[in-house]
Amino acid sequence: MSLDRFGPGSLEECGWIGFPGVIFRPRESTLEVGDCAQQLTPKANALLLQLCLAYPHAAARETLLDQLWGQGRGSPETIAQVVAELRRKLGDEARAPRYIRTVSKVGFQLLVEPVALNQAGSVPINTLADGPRRQEPEATPYRLLPMRRIWALLAITIGLAMTALLGWLWPSAERPSESMLRPTLIADDAVIETMPRAYGTAGAIVYAVQQQVGGDFDIAFREPGQARPRIITSPQGSEFSPVPSADRRQLAFVRQQQDRCQVMLSDGAGQLQREIAECEVAGPGRLIDMTADGRWLAYTAPTNPSFQSRVVTVLDLQAGRALYHSDAQSPLHTDFSPRLSADGSRLSFFRHDYQSGWIQLRLQQGASSRELLPPQGERWVAHAWSPQNRLYALSNDGSGGRLVELDPDSGSLVRVIGSVPDGRNLDYDGRRFVYSTARVEDTYVASVDFSGSPPARVTSARSAHRLPQLSASGKRLLFATGGSQGAEIWVVELSSGIVNRLASLGQGQLLALNWHPDESSLGALFSARDGSSWRVELAFPGGAELLRESCPGARAMSRLESGKHWLIRDQSGRHYAGCDQLNTPAKALASDALVIQRDGAGGMAASFGSQMGVWSLDPDLQASRALGDYRRGRDFSWAINRRWYARVQQDPEQPEALYLVRENTLDGEQQRIRLDQLDLTAGIDVDADGRVFVVLNELEDVDIVALDWDESRFQ
């Protein structure tokens, strides 16, 4: 294709392309935006050229994959990373695009007309004072992305979410030695299709579907070759996580209406419904499982006096009693997304730590569980058992996923089935995997000033950002990333926007970051892949390691205002005055506190398990004065700085809705902004002027795919 129709001369003759405010030189791999010339990577250069050639149409992802990476290589996530690079250099934004628009389920489209230029620039470019005109967002200024996208993150990653759980996107190099599997799209005719389960053995599936943006979720049944699914719409609220028995005579699912969550049991067609149990209202509580014979059912139970944490309960449906529970002990833990082996003898589930954001895949047989570690630089996102009691899991490293088989006895990797596009909510019937897909296009730290303006991007996309931490002066912001290069610490100068890598701590996860009050150093709590935990002191600005001490079992850390002492929290939720006192219950401090943080005014504040709200602490770390509202299971990341208290909140009556709440602790005035792309568990911070720093994830579409794979070949 030629650019002749866009201006005099052809691309082959002139080699320059212009569009409003930009000159693109594909032969030199350079991009001029205003007076700034920037070098493009080869992939970014090739992709932008393809978008110009495709104008005014969108360039399909599959076409871009073949042209830029070659047949059968690359993934949608790698394309998204290249598009993110182009947007950064163009000064463009995915949520309000001026140059490059994401076309859902298709690819990417150039929004401005490219014009072939001669090298003297004699053909004028239709420049605008501020670049090309922005497209007006369809939603309100506060609702920057469609509601369906956050639901995808929540419902898929951790039930809904959390997460995001969702949490962590670990970037990695491509693995050319592994085959890239191409799943088949089998459900793509509604706003969101998610939580698929095999419905018998003939290729049928049952899943949750949202037919209208912002509407309730319903149960859908789809037989092989069926053009449209059969949908059961309930007037009693949203219904999620359908799980059929192997003979299709029973169907368990979750129903949510406002602040009530019910585990329901019906016949195989979704009729003759009856309530089995009350489940956890928060996102993870909506994911359940049932054995193939329909005898046992597993779900996340709501918090009760018998358990400090939210645990998975396994019910005997015939006897109507609980058989056993998962072994979570800390009030900061929620066990969710349970999967029972076919014979019911083993239980796998995810465990989420609300303070650190740590997500573990655990396997329980009997009274205790153990963690199944993912490959280095990756995280588990889904798991499932086969009819032959074999355990499979999906991992993700930020550039895509891997489908693997795990040994349930040793926890070791049995085989890598292949690389796949990212996914969630895995199921397997012995011949075919089904799962839902949701791609994260961009992740970054943004600031919100509650003035009515959209969030302002503070950092460029790398891997998933976490733990934003302001310095005492408010001039600098720390944040953490992770991936194949290991856990890394970055610092951004807020006045200039310059971002620098301060340190890399190796393979593992950063659980906490804290500045020293005088900004001469910073502390980090690091959990290595081998299970060890370390407290590390780093010099600033050089990043030299000043101290490293073992902190076994540590999961969170807070620096006291003096800067000389630390509070370390263990996995059971107890706080200690240093790593050397960990695992000594007699030395525990503030035993009922969930999260302790500095308040920016020389003191400490904490959220508690037994007391609603966030409280100011006295010198003995006891609650002394209520500062603001806080409800565990509804409110998540929070931060306080002098008179400003900010938190991330999920609306229990609209689980897909996420809010950023800012409260003035002096007069109690609250402001609330809906931000559906908020990361619930990545952490937040607030400065002395009330500007809140959050992590945002921008998602694409949510569909269901299938992948044929017969495990009997390996028996």
Side-chain angles (χ1 to χ4, degrees):
M1 183 183 294
S2 170
L3 287 176
D4 290 348
R5 59 192 177 93
F6 300 131
S10 67
L11 175 62
E12 290 75 18
E13 293 173 354
C14 66
W16 290 22
I17 301 172
F19 41 87
V22 177
I23 296 177
F24 171 40
R25 299 183 178 90
R27 293 179 182 175
E28 303 169 22
S29 295
T30 60
L31 194 67
E32 285 188 18
V33 182
D35 297 328
C36 180
Q38 304 180 73
Q39 192 72 31
L40 295 176
T41 62
K43 285 290 191 291
N45 186 69
L47 191 145
L48 182 55
L49 179 59
Q50 292 302 321
L51 295 181
C52 290
L53 294 172
Y55 182 85
H57 306 291
R61 282 190 183 84
E62 292 300 323
T63 301
L64 293 172
L65 279 171
D66 293 342
Q67 291 175 336
L68 272 66
W69 280 271
Q71 189 73 30
R73 296 173 61 85
S75 72
E77 288 72 24
T78 54
I79 291 180
Q81 291 177 3
V82 177
V83 170
E85 175 193 343
L86 284 174
R87 284 175 172 153
R88 288 197 301 274
K89 294 184 176 180
L90 288 166
D92 204 7
E93 295 187 8
R95 62 174 177 268
R98 297 181 294 166
Y99 295 105
I100 300 174
R101 180 169 73 95
T102 300
V103 181
S104 179
K105 306 178 186 178
V106 179
F108 301 93
Q109 178 187 18
L110 190 66
L111 294 176
V112 291
E113 181 178 5
V115 179
L117 304 176
N118 61 44
Q119 295 189 6
S122 60
V123 178
I125 300 175
N126 181 27
T127 56
L128 302 175
D130 297 316
R133 183 178 294 106
R134 286 183 178 270
Q135 289 189 334
E136 290 299 321
E138 297 179 1
T140 66
Y142 296 150
R143 187 173 168 190
L144 302 176
L145 294 178
M147 187 184 305
R148 59 189 255 192
R149 295 186 177 182
I150 184 57
W151 175 249
L153 182 64
L154 295 173
I156 293 180
T157 50
I158 67 175
L160 175 357
M162 292 154 251
T163 103
L165 230 74
L166 277 56
W168 280 76
L169 305 173
W170 298 84
S172 157
E174 296 178 48
R175 304 183 188 88
S177 61
E178 293 177 8
S179 60
M180 172 60 74
L181 306 177
R182 298 290 182 183
T184 302
L185 186 66
I186 60 175
D188 181 25
D189 47 22
V191 174
I192 294 176
E193 299 92 352
T194 186
M195 304 180 184
R197 300 299 292 263
Y199 189 50
T201 57
I205 60 171
V206 57
Y207 54 96
V209 59
Q210 186 186 51
Q211 302 180 77
Q212 298 179 352
V213 174
D216 288 339
F217 278 77
D218 301 310
I219 304 299
F221 300 83
R222 185 186 290 270
E223 301 289 341
Q226 191 175 19
R228 300 285 297 179
R230 177 173 62 89
I231 298 177
I232 300 176
T233 301
S234 171
Q236 302 181 53
S238 284
E239 296 179 339
F240 312 94
S241 193
V243 184
S245 60
D247 60 10
R248 296 172 42 151
R249 293 183 179 181
Q250 293 186 87
L251 180 72
F253 59 92
V254 168
R255 173 180 294 157
Q256 178 154 338
Q257 186 176 24
Q258 296 183 349
D259 60 352
R260 189 181 185 200
C261 179
Q262 303 165 278
V263 180
M264 307 294 295
L265 189 66
S266 71
D267 60 20
Q271 308 299 318
L272 303 176
Q273 302 173 359
R274 62 188 177 94
E275 181 181 348
I276 297 299
E278 292 279 338
C279 50
E280 173 56 43
V281 174
R286 299 184 195 92
L287 295 172
I288 63 173
D289 195 28
M290 184 168 61
T291 52
D293 59 11
R295 294 183 57 189
W296 293 5
L297 183 141
Y299 69 101
T300 298
T303 305
N304 61 69
S306 300
F307 300 99
Q308 288 186 312
S309 56
R310 298 176 178 91
V311 298
V312 169
T313 296
V314 179
L315 288 178
D316 184 329
L317 293 177
Q318 294 182 352
R321 61 181 178 84
L323 295 173
Y324 62 94
H325 309 275
S326 61
D327 63 345
Q329 299 294 323
S330 168
L332 283 168
H333 290 164
T334 288
D335 291 348
F336 67 96
S337 189
R339 301 305 295 265
L340 289 160
S341 62
D343 60 9
S345 64
R346 294 175 179 177
L347 172 72
S348 56
F349 58 90
F350 284 127
R351 174 168 293 167
H352 179 214
D353 185 312
Y354 280 87
Q355 169 63 8
S356 69
W358 187 267
I359 303 293
Q360 298 178 347
L361 175 59
R362 303 190 69 86
L363 179 63
Q364 182 162 327
Q365 185 173 21
S368 61
S369 68
R370 58 187 175 87
E371 182 181 3
L372 303 180
L373 294 173
Q376 286 193 356
E378 301 181 30
R379 61 187 177 92
W380 298 124
V381 294
H383 55 115
W385 293 87
S386 77
Q388 301 302 317
N389 295 301
R390 296 166 77 165
L391 180 61
Y392 297 91
L394 272 173
S395 67
N396 180 274
D397 64 3
S399 64
R402 285 202 298 175
L403 185 59
V404 303
E405 181 183 350
L406 299 174
D407 185 333
D409 293 318
S410 65
S412 60
L413 186 69
V414 176
R415 64 178 56 86
V416 176
I417 297 170
S419 298
V420 295
D422 192 21
R424 303 292 188 277
N425 300 308
L426 181 69
D427 194 34
Y428 182 56
D429 63 6
R431 293 182 178 274
R432 187 175 74 157
F433 292 100
V434 291
Y435 62 90
S436 52
T437 63
R439 292 181 294 273
V440 176
E441 180 181 319
D442 202 0
T443 177
Y444 54 93
V445 176
S447 65
V448 182
D449 61 10
F450 287 80
S451 66
S453 301
R457 182 187 289 264
V458 175
T459 66
S460 301
R462 293 180 185 277
S463 58
H465 292 42
R466 298 185 69 250
L467 306 175
Q469 292 288 308
L470 283 162
S471 62
S473 66
K475 297 179 179 180
R476 302 176 180 91
L477 181 81
L478 289 173
F479 63 94
T481 64
S484 61
Q485 302 302 314
E488 296 180 331
I489 300 172
W490 299 76
V491 61
V492 54
E493 298 289 339
L494 295 177
S495 60
S496 64
I498 296 175
V499 181
N500 291 303
R501 184 175 64 180
L502 191 63
S504 179
L505 298 183
Q507 292 295 338
Q509 185 179 22
L510 279 161
L511 302 179
L513 286 175
N514 295 104
W515 283 99
H516 191 283
D518 66 7
E519 301 182 29
S520 64
S521 65
L522 60 105
L525 185 63
F526 173 67
S527 179
R529 288 295 177 189
D530 61 6
S532 61
S533 296
W534 303 85
R535 185 178 75 82
V536 182
E537 284 277 340
L538 301 171
F540 183 80
E545 191 169 303
L546 304 175
L547 177 146
R548 178 180 288 245
E549 67 171 328
S550 177
C551 239
R555 282 294 177 263
M557 176 179 71
S558 300
R559 190 196 293 265
L560 298 179
E561 283 290 338
S562 66
K564 298 180 180 179
H565 303 289
W566 297 90
L567 286 177
I568 310 294
R569 184 177 63 77
D570 66 12
Q571 56 189 355
S572 66
R574 293 185 292 263
H575 290 78
Y576 299 87
C579 296
D580 57 339
Q581 298 184 24
L582 274 171
N583 306 311
T584 310
K587 296 184 178 181
L589 305 171
S591 59
D592 194 32
L594 299 179
V595 179
I596 300 178
Q597 298 185 21
R598 289 182 290 174
D599 64 7
M604 305 295 290
S607 55
F608 287 84
S610 60
Q611 296 165 291
M612 291 293 185
V614 169
W615 292 69
S616 177
L617 300 182
D618 63 21
D620 295 324
L621 300 182
Q622 300 302 309
S624 62
R625 180 172 65 91
L627 299 175
D629 296 333
Y630 181 86
R631 294 185 61 184
R632 186 163 62 95
R634 175 176 177 176
D635 298 308
F636 298 91
S637 300
W638 64 270
I640 193 164
N641 193 333
R642 301 182 187 274
R643 66 188 178 102
W644 297 111
Y645 164 52
R647 67 189 186 276
V648 177
Q649 183 180 89
Q650 180 185 3
D651 189 338
E653 296 185 5
Q654 291 182 290
E656 70 278 7
L658 290 179
Y659 295 90
L660 181 62
V661 182
R662 186 181 71 176
E663 184 173 342
N664 187 324
T665 62
L666 299 180
D667 58 21
E669 180 184 358
Q670 286 191 10
Q671 293 173 281
R672 192 169 82 152
I673 293 178
R674 181 166 180 169
L675 290 175
D676 284 350
Q677 69 272 46
L678 272 170
D679 190 319
L680 280 172
T681 63
I684 68 174
D685 207 351
V686 59
D687 66 15
D689 297 322
R691 186 171 53 157
V692 184
F693 294 81
V694 297
V695 175
L696 302 182
N697 293 316
E698 296 184 354
L699 301 179
E700 293 189 29
D701 202 11
V702 187
D703 301 309
I704 294 174
V705 298
L707 181 66
D708 293 329
W709 195 78
D710 190 349
E711 71 175 3
S712 64
R713 296 177 299 167
F714 298 95
Q715 291 179 349

